[in-house]
Amino acid sequence: MLKKLVVTMLVVLAVVGLVLPIMAQSSTKQLVYGYVTPGPDTWYKKDVDGFVYAAGLAGAKVIVLNSNYNPETEIANIDSLINQGVDGMCVFTFNQNGANIAAQKCAAAKIPLVVTDNVGLVLKSGYDVVAAVDFDWVGMGQNVAEYCAKQYPGENIAVITGLSEHVPVQMFMGSFKPAVEKLGKNKIVAIRDGKYDPTVAANAAQDLVQSGTKFSLLFVFNDEMGAAVVRVLKAAGVLNNPIKVLTTNGAPYGIDLMKEGGIVYSISTSPGWEGMVSFLALHAYKTGKVKKLNQQLLLPNTTITPNNINDKTQVVPWDIDPVWKTLTAKYFPQFNGMY
């Protein structure tokens, strides 16, 4: 009788041992995050790719909605994700108002929010967000000024910006101009608005060459415009003789141009890695690993020259790459163990 009772108890325990893990698994709900992207451009697609990649590593699901540069669609997308009851939201808006609206709506719905590429302006909205993720535009201005002073002392600089009203452009120029003046090795002799349009940038470069303005360094705000400018200078026979082109972005086509000798210096800004960091900030808060709100997370500036062009830790890939994990562990250790 005692032997039968022991056997029965062992069977019961074995069944319980099987059932409890199943119950635990079923009670672990898959987290679903929403991502509102501003449009179909490559930069935005890569940012989405990074966010979705990191979500996949963490076992989460992502709903991506594209606003196609329409403010009304953007607000509708934010409302849609709230109505779907997402566990958290990331918003990459093309206007400051959109970011503030997202902050207000998500705060009311008690949905944690991360805002990407907003230069921290949303942190002044009056509503709590998890984080604002961006690049260090102020630091970039300092970096470019220091490089020009060290490598090309005595040479004049012309600048083709992105859209002059764009806050990152203003932040960069607000740092770059005083740094050049303070270092005292170079002089800025011309500034043109490239409007983030390769055709506008190419025309600006042509005008600068034809104007007779004396300069031998031409800083162009991104690689897309930089590629168009390189073609103009090459056709005019002045590329690197005397005019050297400097850019930001580290886009794949910009890297190719550097390998060909068209660009001498750039700064790596990978939208893919930015998207990954945006996800990790959101996921870390949602899962309780990081409890801090209103974080300003800036991805580090890494300079690109022909000497380090094959180093992925400096020339951060735009496309999904395992090196993102290495870089995240180094620069954002608070997210270690999130995969």
Side-chain angles (χ1 to χ4, degrees), residues 33-35 46-56 62 89-90 272 275-276 278-280 282:
Y33 296 108
Y35 190 113
K46 297 301 182 185
D47 214 290
V48 170
D49 288 347
F51 190 94
V52 173
Y53 166 69
V62 182
M89 192 186 306
C90 179
M276 180 178 189
S278 293
F279 171 80
L280 292 173
L282 185 59

Side-chain angles (χ1 to χ4, degrees), residues 20-280:
L20 285 178
I22 293 173
M23 290 175 64
Q25 290 175 14
S26 63
S27 64
T28 304
K29 169 179 165 288
Q30 182 185 35
L31 294 173
V32 179
Y33 296 108
Y35 190 113
V36 177
T37 183
D41 286 6
T42 300
W43 178 274
Y44 306 133
K45 288 180 180 178
K46 297 301 182 185
D47 214 290
V48 170
D49 288 347
F51 190 94
V52 173
Y53 166 69
L57 293 176
K61 180 181 176 182
V62 182
I63 301 171
V64 180
L65 300 180
N66 197 313
S67 302
N68 291 306
Y69 309 115
N70 186 308
E72 292 180 359
T73 302
E74 184 172 80
I75 294 172
N77 286 339
I78 294 167
D79 287 337
S80 175
L81 291 174
I82 291 173
N83 292 336
Q84 291 181 64
V86 294
D87 296 294
M89 192 186 306
C90 179
V91 175
F92 192 149
T93 67
F94 52 92
N95 64 86
Q96 176 57 32
N97 190 47
N100 291 341
I101 290 173
Q104 180 181 4
K105 287 178 175 289
C106 285
K110 293 181 169 51
I111 292 176
L113 173 70
V114 165
V115 176
T116 299
D117 255 26
N118 177 256
V119 298
L121 294 176
V122 71
L123 301 179
K124 302 175 183 178
S125 68
Y127 299 96
D128 285 334
V129 299
V130 173
V133 181
D134 212 318
F135 298 97
D136 184 4
W137 300 106
V138 172
M140 282 184 208
Q142 184 74 29
N143 292 154
V144 177
E146 290 174 352
Y147 185 82
C148 292
K150 182 179 179 180
Q151 298 296 325
Y152 306 107
E155 299 191 33
N156 289 341
I157 306 170
V159 178
I160 298 177
T161 70
L163 189 66
S164 60
E165 292 86 2
H166 192 212
V167 175
V169 172
Q170 295 172 356
M171 294 176 73
F172 176 93
M173 294 302 294
S175 169
F176 179 61
K177 289 194 289 185
V180 170
E181 184 176 346
K182 183 178 180 180
L183 291 165
K185 301 294 185 180
N186 308 97
K187 183 179 179 182
I188 300 172
V189 295
I191 300 174
R192 299 285 187 274
D193 190 340
K195 301 186 183 300
Y196 290 120
D197 185 322
T199 301
V200 174
N203 290 337
Q206 192 169 37
D207 289 344
L208 284 168
V209 171
Q210 293 176 350
S211 70
T213 303
K214 302 298 181 183
F215 68 97
S216 53
L217 300 176
L218 180 54
F219 173 76
V220 187
F221 203 73
N222 68 22
D223 280 333
E224 188 175 10
M225 293 188 297
V229 167
V230 165
R231 288 193 293 270
V232 168
L233 299 180
K234 191 172 183 179
V238 295
L239 180 63
N240 294 321
N241 185 26
I243 302 174
K244 281 82 66 178
V245 177
L246 303 85
T247 66
T248 68
N249 272 178
Y253 42 85
I255 299 305
D256 289 341
L257 278 173
M258 184 174 286
K259 290 178 178 178
E260 296 167 6
I263 294 174
V264 299
Y265 171 91
S266 190
I267 294 178
S268 181
T269 55
S270 165
W273 184 32
E274 181 185 45
M276 180 178 189
V277 172
S278 293
F279 171 80
L280 292 173

